[in-house]
Amino acid sequence: MSTNIDIKDVWTALVEGSGTDDADALLTALETRSFDELGYDSLAVLETGLRLRRDSGADVPDTQIANAQTAQELINLINSHLPAKTAEGAQQQ
């Protein structure tokens, strides 16, 4: 992937990994509420972050993923650890 992730990517990873009763409501809530407020424990956050890390190719430590409190924190963390594009790849895009 190695492109920036966004709220929809976090939503997809949460729904696939931990499930939800109302996926549409979760997407809206992720923008304003913490994982704890949404009922996701640290294991669910870690699993979500690990999925995003794997899919994006980000090189971010597990401990930093586990400490993310909100979807936006997780997005910023993953995006800040994405692999650098090669000069050849950047020219092709």
Side-chain angles (χ1 to χ4, degrees):
M1 178 193 254
S2 80
T3 58
N4 284 353
I5 66 164
D6 60 23
I7 198 78
K8 185 87 173 184
D9 297 312
V10 175
W11 173 80
T12 299
L14 269 173
V15 170
E16 289 176 356
S18 300
T20 182
D21 293 332
D22 187 351
D24 292 331
L26 175 60
L27 182 57
T28 302
L30 279 172
E31 296 178 358
T32 59
R33 299 176 66 194
S34 70
F35 291 121
D36 187 52
E37 291 173 320
L38 295 170
Y40 291 101
D41 62 14
S42 59
L43 183 58
V45 174
L46 180 60
E47 182 178 329
T48 299
L50 294 176
R51 284 174 178 263
L52 293 168
R53 180 177 72 183
R54 179 197 65 216
D55 293 346
S56 68
D59 184 23
V60 57
D62 294 357
T63 53
Q64 289 183 5
I65 291 171
N67 289 329
Q69 300 296 309
T70 66
Q72 191 59 55
E73 284 181 27
L74 189 55
I75 291 166
N76 293 344
L77 180 64
I78 297 291
N79 286 340
S80 70
H81 286 82
L82 290 174
K85 294 181 182 179
T86 63
E88 182 181 324
Q91 290 173 355
Q92 291 176 357
Q93 292 180 6

